[in-house]
């Protein structure tokens, strides 16, 4: 199973790097990131607090957009394209388990996702130095913030793979993924006031709601340098559950 | 075809069931992982401003143990329009304080689980709920936090109680310029935790200060030392402070939670020691605080108490070398510095609840002019002195020189001889005293000036901790606001330009070049 997973991983990662969509995402992201970083530096340049700069660097409007859009775009072709072209059937007849295929494709998307964010940390390390900001911007909240993005990304990528396996229409897979991410990021914010009275009555509702309130989790916890193990567990469990469902949907094809 | 359709429908049905089961499993895992006993929190935020102090955590744990529910109701400020830059700045400050308060309350809620409930009210969406709330807990204005614990409650104003705002008094402005308000400090945790503590503690313990063994009434600031400020501090903390004079045959009043004997200059008659012993053996707690005086006759040995409670007090002053602020080295014998000794966290015993929070948080205690203190070779039955509560750094014992005063010169001579005279000295001791009916009383002895008017402002948190311990109030005070220091960023225009060039031009260009290389190599291979 492990061998099959690594073979799939390698193949999928190569296809992501040789795919114009992946590079387009990278280029557009870093162009937008550059403008955003410069504007933020300007805002903080006159006596601003470098600690808050670090948190804002990690969780911003641009990052929101990337969280919603990038994972579905990276994973939309994972299974849908192969279904459409017929190569999925060939893959399923090979002596490789569904779990290996799912994990391999998800890991490849996750590796690309990590490589999307890693340079932003390096950019900040360089910017802290004297020719640029010459400021003691703390790295710990930046690292925890990106850890949060990594975990959230792993969930969204898993969901993207799942939607991709449910349809042979690449655009439909992307749209479903974008909707899923958008709802998860925005809806808890909108429900905040309505949920409160119920949450006070039933503590379990509050616990679940807090874990689903991704804006709060990413912005007020991870981006501030706070690592809560229950949030890490929530992300990890969600990823595993979605990957399991993905394996199940793939397995359903064998049964037909 | 029909069979195929049914099979597909069955598969989708199975998938739906699997989704539901998966969601339930996820929910259960999250609920278990969120239990306070299972979850952990690492605070990597700058200056650890993201989490609360161990004392607040202790407070919340006490609420959980007592199976009580703590509620916070946050009533936000209503949106306002600014007409001047000053108003705009004030609105920004209020918004920042409100956000910090909300973040802080999330920390309390995360610690307390279902025992701590936090509710944020939208003045428009929750108008009915707010009306109900303000009818139950009268609130005068917006921007308040109502703290409810059982049938007791308290109201704090976010801007007036939880923040220190400088309206320009301390700012140095150019002539004619109007200063803008600045947020100096956010005191959320200190104030909120203190108010919770007050709600938790329902009793009003009585502390008696023994009179007659000092030069003047210790509960005033008259005379050399003075403990009037300590009295005010304790009263603000909800204690009742009374003077106590013991005549022959008297006993300590029955309502006493603790008795304090501060900086005595006389031993006093034996009937005083008898009364105090009877009090301690009934489970009472006694605080004895001797210090050193340049007048030899004022260094009471407290022998009557020492015999009963197993301690002995010597006439010598505990001294150690201190850095000389007037030069850059260590210079011995600078009286202005050598009088006071800062006791650091390594000298405080972490096994005692009294000193543990200070040791863990690395907070110092200032001790002035301590005398040598130790355990008697033989203590009476049922008396167990422990001299390890507070110990000094390696120090020597300065011999009294009558009215000439100490010269603070360290011992001299062969190195081995000198080194042998330096040792950690006992500055604080706890004595457990068994009573006749199974109770255990305690005597706390602190040597040196710790709570008089000269040093109280440096030791106020420790003073409150000591007296809460003496009065058997489990929640020890000492919650101090984490003073957040601004990590200022000042960027010059040329640095801004370089930042623009690096982030907007160089990085995307480098990626573009990399992209071209990757695709060019692929096209060639």
């Amino acid at each position: 199973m492990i061998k099959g997973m690594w073979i799939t991983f390698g193949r999928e990662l190569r296809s992501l790097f040789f795919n114009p969509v992946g590079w387009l995402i990278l280029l557009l992201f870093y162009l937008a990131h550059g403008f955003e970083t410069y504007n933020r530096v300007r805002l903080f340049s006159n006596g601003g607090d470098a600690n808050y700069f670090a948190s804002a660097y990690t969780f911003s409007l641009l990052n929101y957009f990337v969280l919603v859009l990038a994972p579905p775009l990276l994973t939309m072709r994972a299974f849908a394209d192969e279904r459409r072209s017929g190569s999925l059937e060939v893959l399923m007849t090979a002596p490789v388990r569904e779990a290996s295929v799912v994990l391999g494709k998800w890991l490849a998307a996750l590796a690309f996702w990590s490589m999307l964010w890693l340079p932003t940390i390096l950019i900040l390390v360089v910017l802290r130095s004297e020719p640029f900001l010459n400021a003691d911007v703390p790295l710990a909240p930046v690292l925890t913030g990106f850890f949060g993005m990594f975990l959230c990304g792993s969930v969204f990528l898993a969901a993207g793979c799942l939607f991709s396996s449910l349809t042979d229409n690449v655009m439909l897979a992307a749209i479903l993924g974008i909707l899923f991410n958008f709802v998860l990021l925005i809806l808890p914010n909108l429900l905040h006031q309505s949920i409160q009275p119920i949450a006070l009555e039933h503590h379990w509702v509050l616990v679940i709601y807090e874990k689903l309130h991704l804006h709060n989790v990413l912005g007020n916890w991870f981006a501030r340098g706070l690592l809560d193990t229950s949030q890490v567990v929530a992300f990890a469990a969600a990823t595993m559950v979605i990957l399991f469902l993905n394996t199940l949907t793939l397995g359903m094809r064998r049964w037909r | 075809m029909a069979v195929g359709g049914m099979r597909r429908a069955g598969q989708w049905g199975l998938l739906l069931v699997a989704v539901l089961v998966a969601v339930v499993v996820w929910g259960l895992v999250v609920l278990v992982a969120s239990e306070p006993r299972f979850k952990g929190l690492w605070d990597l935020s700058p200056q650890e401003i993201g989490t609360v102090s161990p004392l607040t955590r202790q407070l919340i744990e006490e609420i959980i143990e007592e199976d009580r529910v703590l509620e916070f109701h946050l009533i936000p400020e209503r949106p306002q329009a600014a007409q001047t830059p000053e108003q705009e700045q004030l609105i920004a400050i209020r918004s920042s304080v409100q956000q910090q308060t909300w973040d802080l309350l999330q920390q309390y809620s995360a610690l307390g689980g279902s025992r701590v409930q936090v509710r944020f009210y939208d003045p428009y969406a929750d108008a009915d709920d707010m009306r109900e709330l303000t009818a139950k807990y009268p609130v005068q204005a917006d921007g308040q936090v109502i703290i409810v614990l059982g049938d007791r409650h308290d109201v704090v104003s976010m801007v007036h109680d939880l923040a220190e705002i400088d309206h320009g008094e301390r700012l140095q402005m150019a002539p004619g310029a109007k200063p803008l308000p600045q947020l100096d400090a956010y005191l959320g945790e200190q104030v909120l935790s203190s108010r919770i503590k007050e709600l938790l503690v329902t009793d009003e313990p009585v502390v008696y200060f023994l009179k007659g063994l000092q030069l003047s009434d210790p509960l005033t600031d008259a005379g050399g030392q003075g403990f009037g400020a300590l009295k005010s501090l304790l009263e603000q903390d909800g204690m009742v402070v009374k003077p106590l004079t013991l005549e022959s045959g008297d006993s300590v009043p029955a309502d006493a939670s603790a008795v304090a004997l501060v900086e005595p200059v006389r031993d006093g008659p034996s009937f005083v020691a008898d009364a105090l012993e009877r009090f301690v053996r009934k489970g009472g707690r006694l605080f004895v605080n001797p210090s050193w005086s340049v007048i030899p006759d004022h260094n009471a040995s407290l022998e009557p108490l020492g015999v009963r409670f197993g301690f002995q007090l010597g006439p010598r002053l505990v001294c150690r070398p201190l850095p000389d602020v007037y030069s850059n080295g260590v210079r011995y014998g600078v009286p202005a510095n050598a009088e006071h000794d800062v006791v650091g966290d390594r000298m405080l015993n972490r096994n005692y609840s009294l000193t543990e929070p200070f040791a863990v948080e690395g907070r110092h205690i200032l001790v002035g002019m301590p005398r040598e203190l130790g355990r008697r070779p033989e203590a009476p039955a049922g008396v167990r002195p422990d001299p390890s509560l507070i110990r000094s750094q390696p120090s020597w014992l300065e011999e009294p020189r009558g009215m000439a005063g100490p010269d603070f010169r360290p011992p001299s001579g062969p190195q081995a001889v000198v080194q042998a005279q330096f040792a950690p000295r006992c500055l604080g001791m706890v004595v457990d005293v068994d009573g006749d009916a199974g109770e255990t009383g305690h005597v706390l002895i602190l040597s040196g000036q710790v709570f008089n008017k000269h040093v109280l402002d440096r030791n106020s948190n420790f003073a409150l901790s000591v007296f809460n311990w003496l009065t058997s109030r489990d929640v020890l005070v000492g919650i101090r606001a984490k003073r957040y220091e601004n990590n200022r960023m000042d960027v010059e225009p040329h640095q801004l330009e370089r930042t623009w060039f690096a982030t907007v031009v160089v990085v995307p260009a480098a990626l573009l070049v990399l992209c071209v290389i990757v695709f060019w190599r692929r096209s060639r291979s």
Side-chain angles (χ1 to χ4, degrees):
Chain A
M1 174 173 153
I2 303 291
K3 192 177 169 187
M5 183 186 81
W6 286 121
I7 291 171
T8 312
F9 168 78
R11 195 175 65 119
E12 202 65 25
L13 193 63
R14 270 195 299 279
S15 83
L16 277 171
F17 271 105
F18 294 140
N19 184 350
V21 171
W23 282 100
L24 194 62
I25 292 172
L26 266 174
L27 282 167
L28 287 175
F29 172 65
Y30 276 98
L31 196 58
H33 181 266
F35 276 111
E36 193 185 56
T37 302
Y38 170 70
N39 280 327
R40 189 163 296 114
V41 167
R42 245 186 20 174
L43 207 63
F44 280 80
S45 62
N46 194 13
D49 191 343
N51 297 333
Y52 286 107
F53 175 82
S55 298
Y57 185 81
T58 321
F59 193 63
S60 63
L61 194 59
L62 173 68
N63 293 1
Y64 237 84
F65 274 119
V66 173
L67 256 182
V68 170
L69 294 174
L73 294 177
L74 289 174
T75 54
M76 63 186 179
R77 295 178 62 228
F79 293 98
D81 207 33
E82 295 205 38
R83 278 174 74 150
R84 192 166 48 89
S85 66
S87 59
L88 189 63
E89 264 70 25
V90 175
L91 181 64
M92 289 295 101
T93 56
V96 63
R97 295 163 77 163
E98 292 91 3
S100 308
V101 174
V102 168
L103 278 174
K105 286 181 182 280
W106 171 74
L107 274 174
L110 191 64
F112 191 91
W113 177 254
S114 307
M115 283 182 237
L116 178 69
W117 291 105
L118 214 58
T120 60
I121 302 174
L122 298 171
I123 288 169
L124 185 63
V125 169
V126 170
L127 286 183
R128 290 166 86 221
S129 62
E130 202 198 319
F132 301 99
L133 305 183
N134 192 25
D136 184 21
V137 179
L139 285 178
V142 175
L143 292 172
T144 55
F146 284 120
F147 181 57
M149 298 289 273
F150 172 82
L151 289 173
C152 190
S154 75
V155 175
F156 287 177
L157 290 167
C161 288
L162 174 64
F163 292 126
S164 181
S165 72
L166 291 174
T167 174
D168 55 6
N169 186 325
V170 167
M171 287 316 299
L172 181 61
I175 289 167
L176 286 173
I178 290 170
L179 272 173
F180 176 81
N181 300 346
F182 184 77
V183 163
L184 260 191
L185 276 170
I186 301 300
L187 195 64
N189 248 353
L190 299 175
L191 290 177
H192 181 66
Q193 287 304 124
S194 331
I195 282 281
Q196 271 196 108
I198 308 167
L200 289 172
E201 287 287 316
H202 307 284
H203 184 66
W204 66 270
V205 172
L206 178 69
V207 172
I208 300 293
Y209 170 75
E210 279 177 348
K211 297 297 174 284
L212 292 174
H213 195 173
L214 294 182
H215 176 87
N216 185 47
V217 167
L218 294 173
N220 289 332
W221 290 81
F222 284 98
R224 291 174 65 204
L226 300 172
L227 270 182
D228 182 346
T229 56
S230 66
Q231 288 162 354
V232 176
V233 166
F235 278 124
T239 304
M240 285 194 287
V241 151
I242 296 173
L243 288 174
F244 169 73
L245 290 172
N246 198 355
T247 311
L248 212 63
T249 58
L250 214 57
M252 274 166 30
R253 292 198 64 79
R254 277 201 211 267
W255 304 340
R256 290 195 192 157
Chain B
M1 290 271 289
V3 169
M6 276 176 64
R7 194 184 290 166
R8 263 198 297 277
Q11 284 172 348
W12 280 108
L14 201 66
L15 187 62
L16 194 62
V17 169
V19 167
L20 289 171
V21 169
V23 167
V24 168
V25 166
W26 177 82
L28 288 172
V29 167
V30 164
L31 285 172
V32 170
S34 302
E35 278 290 306
R37 59 199 145 129
F38 292 136
K39 73 176 180 181
L41 178 67
W42 287 292
D43 185 356
L44 302 172
S45 58
Q47 301 170 39
E48 287 189 354
I49 203 71
T51 47
V52 297
S53 71
L55 288 166
T56 295
R57 271 179 243 146
Q58 199 179 332
L59 204 59
I60 302 294
E61 275 164 25
E62 182 161 327
I63 289 170
I64 295 172
E65 272 167 25
E66 291 183 10
D67 206 26
R68 300 171 80 167
V69 175
L70 175 66
E71 297 171 26
F72 292 100
H73 301 269
L74 198 156
I75 301 172
E77 303 267 355
R78 282 179 202 266
Q80 291 170 27
Q83 280 156 3
T84 64
E86 191 190 26
Q87 283 176 351
E88 194 179 333
Q89 180 76 347
L90 263 175
I91 290 169
I93 289 172
R94 283 168 186 261
S95 171
S96 167
V97 169
Q98 186 169 291
Q99 181 61 49
Q100 289 186 70
T101 304
W102 174 248
D103 292 342
L104 178 63
L105 294 179
Q106 298 298 302
Q107 296 293 334
Y108 281 80
S109 173
L111 282 171
S114 57
R115 295 273 152 227
V116 178
Q117 297 175 359
V118 180
R119 176 133 186 218
F120 183 98
Y121 289 80
D122 184 314
Y124 304 108
D126 299 320
D128 291 338
D129 290 341
M130 269 185 63
R131 253 195 300 275
E132 224 178 276
L133 182 79
T134 50
K136 200 171 170 188
Y137 311 107
V139 169
Q140 303 302 323
D142 297 331
Q144 312 263 328
V145 178
I146 305 172
I147 311 167
V148 179
L149 186 65
D151 55 0
R152 303 178 82 200
H153 78 279
D154 200 352
V155 180
V156 295
S157 160
M158 281 189 271
V159 166
H160 299 298
D161 295 324
L162 304 186
E164 276 179 2
I165 298 175
D166 177 12
H167 291 273
E169 294 90 13
R170 289 200 291 275
L171 294 172
Q172 290 178 5
M173 305 294 297
K178 269 195 159 181
L180 287 180
Q182 301 281 345
L183 179 62
D184 255 2
Y186 177 68
L187 307 173
E189 187 192 341
Q190 179 177 348
V191 172
L192 289 175
S193 292
S194 296
R195 299 293 180 98
I196 294 167
K197 189 184 75 71
E198 284 167 21
L199 291 175
L200 265 177
V201 172
T202 51
D203 59 339
E204 272 192 339
V206 180
V207 180
Y208 282 93
F209 276 70
L210 197 58
K211 277 174 63 173
L213 302 186
Q214 297 87 1
L215 288 172
S216 56
D217 184 350
L219 289 180
T220 64
D221 281 333
Q225 308 305 35
F227 292 84
L230 176 64
K231 176 176 184 269
S232 303
L233 184 72
L234 298 181
E235 284 171 344
Q236 277 168 29
D237 201 47
M239 297 183 211
V240 176
V241 178
K242 295 182 184 176
L244 174 66
T245 305
L246 289 170
E247 304 288 346
S248 175
D250 282 349
S251 292
V252 172
D255 65 346
S257 300
V259 174
L261 173 60
V262 289
E263 298 190 22
V265 298
R266 289 184 274 277
D267 284 344
S270 59
F271 60 77
V272 170
D274 288 338
L276 293 176
E277 185 185 6
R278 284 197 302 275
F279 169 69
V280 172
R281 286 202 184 265
K282 279 187 198 161
R285 296 190 181 193
L286 173 66
F287 174 54
V288 180
N289 175 213
S291 72
W292 188 87
S293 170
V294 70
I295 302 170
D297 287 346
H298 287 177
N299 288 317
S301 66
L302 300 182
E303 189 74 5
L305 286 175
V307 163
R308 287 163 175 77
F309 296 125
F311 70 89
Q312 54 190 18
L313 199 57
R316 293 180 291 183
L317 182 63
V318 176
C319 292
R320 71 175 184 93
L322 290 167
D324 178 9
V325 297
Y326 300 111
S327 74
N328 280 331
V330 173
R331 208 179 118 193
Y332 301 105
V334 180
N337 290 338
E339 281 183 16
H340 296 288
D341 193 5
V342 172
V343 175
D345 51 312
R346 284 184 215 161
M347 302 170 235
L348 302 169
N349 193 327
R350 289 175 180 231
N351 294 325
Y352 279 97
S353 57
L354 176 57
T355 41
E356 189 234 350
F358 293 84
V360 163
E361 291 193 8
R363 287 153 64 182
H364 297 160
I365 301 168
L366 204 65
V367 177
M369 305 302 231
R371 285 168 59 189
E372 57 178 320
L373 172 67
R375 184 166 37 188
R376 275 185 183 263
E378 281 178 19
V383 173
R384 296 180 297 282
D386 179 0
S388 68
L389 181 72
I390 304 175
R391 299 186 73 74
S392 73
Q393 287 191 18
S395 310
W396 77 91
L397 295 171
E398 178 86 3
E399 291 290 343
R401 298 192 310 140
M403 294 296 291
D407 64 7
F408 299 108
R409 273 189 301 208
S412 55
Q415 191 183 7
V417 170
V418 168
Q419 270 182 346
Q421 295 184 57
F422 277 80
R425 308 287 173 184
C426 172
L427 299 180
M429 177 187 257
V430 173
V431 183
D432 293 340
V433 181
D434 293 334
D436 299 323
E439 320 88 337
T440 302
H442 303 282
V443 180
L444 170 65
I445 308 159
L446 291 182
S447 180
Q449 297 179 20
V450 276
F451 300 144
N452 65 28
K453 65 182 180 186
H454 301 296
V455 290
L456 182 65
D457 59 344
R458 295 285 299 272
N459 290 340
S460 55
N461 282 335
F462 186 57
L464 288 169
S465 285
V466 162
F467 280 88
N468 273 308
W469 182 86
L470 286 167
T471 53
S472 304
R473 294 206 288 189
D474 294 336
V475 181
L476 296 175
V477 82
I479 299 155
R480 191 162 63 180
K482 287 182 188 176
R483 195 124 193 139
Y484 178 74
E485 286 173 20
N486 196 4
N487 183 3
R488 196 183 164 92
M489 245 174 88
D490 288 299
V491 184
E492 302 291 325
H494 66 274
Q495 289 172 318
L496 261 178
E497 275 175 29
R498 279 187 216 141
T499 303
W500 181 89
F501 187 69
T503 56
V504 178
V505 175
V506 170
V507 169
L511 277 171
L512 189 62
V513 164
L514 190 62
C515 173
V516 166
I517 292 172
V518 163
F519 279 98
W520 175 70
R521 286 188 66 155
R522 190 171 186 232
S523 68
R524 285 195 57 173
S525 60

